[in-house]
Amino acid sequence: TLGVTETVKDDLNPIWTKFFNINYELGKLKVINVGIFDKMKDGETDKTMGSAAFEIGDMLGSKGNITAKRLRNGGVLFAKVRHVPRADGDLYIKLRGFNVKNVDRGFLRRGKSDPYFEISYLEDDSAGWTPVARSKKISHTLNPCWKPTEVALDRLCDNDRDKAIRITVLDHERSGKHQLIGSVEATVNT
């Protein structure tokens, strides 16, 4: 077993932030099996939603190093591989918001946002921003103070401290249609 991702709640189109390091030798067959599970309550067995096998060499030969596999019970699973240089340290970041935009008015317009943040890097192939870290939501606040987050620089910016990264703050919605509160682009050096 390579490992387990974080649980993404209330979202039928999850984007996981967990990366797995795989040693691969060019020309050698290397297959990974990815299983998808619905996380159940404590004490209950997680429900299997499907699985797919990916061959690393095929993925490296595909456009953007991305491969899609249909799941038997419905849905599509996408997997991507990329070469990552050796780690050159970590970014340790503690984020806090003051009077963030309230996009969740709720009942009688008294609700408050449930903010969380994502830290993303920009794909070299113009595929857009890919999240590498995600905080837990903080319920009903416009002044969130999140726990510190640590991200390896090789995952975040290929050890290039001047490469653009994005920090996005979203309002968590149970429906999975999270609302944008705001975002900022920066570099590790700025």
Side-chain angles (χ1 to χ4, degrees), residues 11-47:
D11 196 335
L12 294 177
N13 298 299
I15 299 174
W16 294 279
T17 60
K18 174 82 174 170
F19 283 63
F20 298 99
N21 291 323
I22 301 169
N23 291 323
Y24 175 71
E25 188 177 328
L26 195 61
K28 295 263 183 165
L29 182 68
K30 182 90 165 201
V31 178
I32 58 168
N33 188 47
V34 179
I36 307 296
F37 299 88
D38 188 8
K39 180 82 172 162
M40 306 309 284
K41 295 177 185 173
D42 288 338
E44 295 181 29
T45 304
D46 294 342
K47 180 181 173 185

Side-chain angles (χ1 to χ4, degrees), residues 56-103:
I56 302 297
D58 289 344
M59 294 173 69
L60 288 170
S62 64
K63 184 177 180 182
N65 296 342
I66 298 173
T67 303
K69 300 278 184 156
R70 289 206 175 277
L71 301 175
R72 255 188 249 149
N73 295 334
V76 179
L77 179 62
F78 293 89
K80 177 175 183 161
V81 295
R82 71 179 182 127
H83 172 73
V84 178
R86 293 197 178 272
D88 188 29
D90 295 326
L91 172 68
Y92 181 82
I93 188 167
K94 179 156 176 48
L95 295 174
R96 176 177 204 164
F98 294 99
N99 296 322
V100 299
K101 183 178 178 182
N102 188 11
V103 297

Side-chain angles (χ1 to χ4, degrees), residues 3-186:
V4 177
T5 68
E6 73 279 11
T7 300
V8 177
K9 294 182 179 180
D10 304 317
D11 196 335
L12 294 177
N13 298 299
I15 299 174
W16 294 279
T17 60
K18 174 82 174 170
F19 283 63
F20 298 99
N21 291 323
I22 301 169
N23 291 323
Y24 175 71
E25 188 177 328
L26 195 61
K28 295 263 183 165
L29 182 68
K30 182 90 165 201
V31 178
I32 58 168
N33 188 47
V34 179
I36 307 296
F37 299 88
D38 188 8
K39 180 82 172 162
M40 306 309 284
K41 295 177 185 173
D42 288 338
E44 295 181 29
T45 304
D46 294 342
K47 180 181 173 185
T48 302
M49 298 178 74
S51 66
F54 295 89
E55 202 281 309
I56 302 297
D58 289 344
M59 294 173 69
L60 288 170
S62 64
K63 184 177 180 182
N65 296 342
I66 298 173
T67 303
K69 300 278 184 156
R70 289 206 175 277
L71 301 175
R72 255 188 249 149
N73 295 334
V76 179
L77 179 62
F78 293 89
K80 177 175 183 161
V81 295
R82 71 179 182 127
H83 172 73
V84 178
R86 293 197 178 272
D88 188 29
D90 295 326
L91 172 68
Y92 181 82
I93 188 167
K94 179 156 176 48
L95 295 174
R96 176 177 204 164
F98 294 99
N99 296 322
V100 299
K101 183 178 178 182
N102 188 11
V103 297
D104 189 9
R105 296 286 184 190
F107 182 68
L108 297 176
R109 302 187 59 77
R110 292 186 181 162
K112 291 185 180 172
S113 294
D114 306 310
Y116 71 96
F117 70 82
E118 291 182 344
I119 301 175
S120 305
Y121 70 90
L122 185 60
E123 293 278 358
D124 292 331
D125 60 5
S126 300
W129 294 91
T130 299
V132 294
R134 182 179 295 120
S135 72
K136 292 190 181 285
K137 74 173 181 182
I138 300 178
S139 297
H140 312 296
T141 185
L142 302 180
N143 299 298
C145 184
W146 293 283
K147 291 183 178 180
T149 300
E150 194 170 346
V151 183
L153 291 178
D154 56 351
R155 284 182 47 204
L156 180 61
C157 58
D158 293 332
N159 294 318
D160 178 355
R161 295 168 190 249
D162 291 315
K163 188 173 183 178
I165 62 172
R166 177 183 281 173
I167 300 171
T168 305
V169 178
L170 299 134
D171 175 37
H172 183 272
E173 297 294 335
R174 290 187 67 176
S175 67
K177 296 179 181 177
H178 311 302
Q179 296 182 59
L180 176 68
I181 293 174
S183 67
V184 63
E185 290 179 26

